[in-house]
Amino acid sequence: MNRQQQKQQTRQRIIDGAFTLLDDNKSFTTISLREVAREANIAPTSFYRHFADINELGLTLVDESGLALRQLMRQARKRIASGGSIINISVDTFIEFIMSNPNVFRLLLREHTGTSASFRAAVKREIQHFTEELADYIVDKIGTPMPIAYIQSEAMVKLVFSAGAEAIDADSTETELIAKRVKAQLRFIEKGAMHYANFVNIEKR
């Protein structure tokens, strides 16, 4: 392994260590640099070879969280292409992500309304990317005009994130009920958007 690979590996250990420290009682803003260094098995001074400070690490965690979620949902859309309900597969994939990566999702939830303006902006940016990708998908697969597709996408993303906040600490029975409910709610939004798009088209004639 060369020096660059070792540096990248250490950087990833720092990121993974920070995620490990997050739980239902501890947010990123309560984690110290020394705790992260200890979890990553490096000296505190070595931290600065990879990040300027703890805030830069936090922003990196937000970026990593958003990217991981978007990549997973892209994979879900590929599964949809081979057959299956768009809403069912998307919700099931999202819930699976939360159950498998609770600390990753906790970071997005907490920092979305946290005290740090830079963190709030970073999470908002990640949610924006998520919303835009879904809007593009709706336009491509259903043919909904972009202005309506974006409103539909925004409503769906907010609803799913809210359901995720409920599911993160729920047991399996509760999670199943949450998933079932949010699927029905997403279908309401989908049908409403389609009806509204038709209504707008009629109005233009």
Side-chain angles (χ1 to χ4, degrees), residues 135-194:
D136 288 340
Y137 182 81
I138 291 169
V139 171
D140 182 52
K141 297 300 179 183
I142 301 175
T144 305
M146 177 52 83
I148 297 173
Y150 188 85
I151 294 171
Q152 177 185 348
S153 173
E154 195 173 40
M156 285 179 153
V157 169
K158 287 181 178 179
L159 179 61
V160 169
F161 267 71
S162 177
E166 287 185 69
I168 198 167
D169 293 315
D171 61 31
S172 58
T173 301
E174 292 172 326
T175 300
E176 189 175 334
L177 291 174
I178 291 168
K180 185 176 181 179
R181 186 182 73 237
V182 77
K183 287 174 185 177
Q185 292 169 333
L186 289 172
R187 290 191 178 95
F188 292 161
I189 293 172
E190 180 184 46
K191 297 299 182 184
M194 291 172 64

Side-chain angles (χ1 to χ4, degrees), residues 65-95:
S65 300
L67 179 61
L69 182 53
R70 292 202 309 277
Q71 288 176 335
L72 193 70
M73 298 313 294
R74 287 169 193 160
Q75 291 171 11
R77 288 194 280 271
K78 288 180 180 178
R79 286 165 55 196
I80 292 165
S82 61
S85 164
I86 295 174
I87 287 176
N88 284 347
I89 291 175
S90 296
V91 171
D92 289 343
T93 300
F94 187 78
I95 295 295

Side-chain angles (χ1 to χ4, degrees), residues 23-43:
D23 58 30
D24 55 347
N25 295 315
K26 181 175 284 190
S27 65
F28 181 77
T29 53
T30 64
I31 293 173
S32 71
L33 186 153
R34 287 186 175 278
E35 286 180 296
V36 174
R38 190 183 311 119
E39 192 68 32
N41 197 29
I42 62 171

Side-chain angles (χ1 to χ4, degrees), residues 14 61 75 100 128 135 162 166:
I14 293 171
L61 295 186
Q75 291 171 11
S100 301
Q128 181 80 10
S162 177
E166 287 185 69

Side-chain angles (χ1 to χ4, degrees), residues 11-67:
R11 188 177 190 274
Q12 191 60 50
R13 284 212 316 272
I14 293 171
I15 292 171
D16 293 342
F19 273 129
T20 300
L21 290 168
L22 300 174
D23 58 30
D24 55 347
N25 295 315
K26 181 175 284 190
S27 65
F28 181 77
T29 53
T30 64
I31 293 173
S32 71
L33 186 153
R34 287 186 175 278
E35 286 180 296
V36 174
R38 190 183 311 119
E39 192 68 32
N41 197 29
I42 62 171
T45 52
S46 298
F47 177 92
Y48 295 104
R49 296 175 190 165
H50 305 276
F51 298 96
D53 52 32
I54 194 76
N55 285 333
E56 184 181 333
L57 171 61
L59 293 174
T60 299
L61 295 186
V62 171
D63 290 343
E64 292 266 331
S65 300
L67 179 61

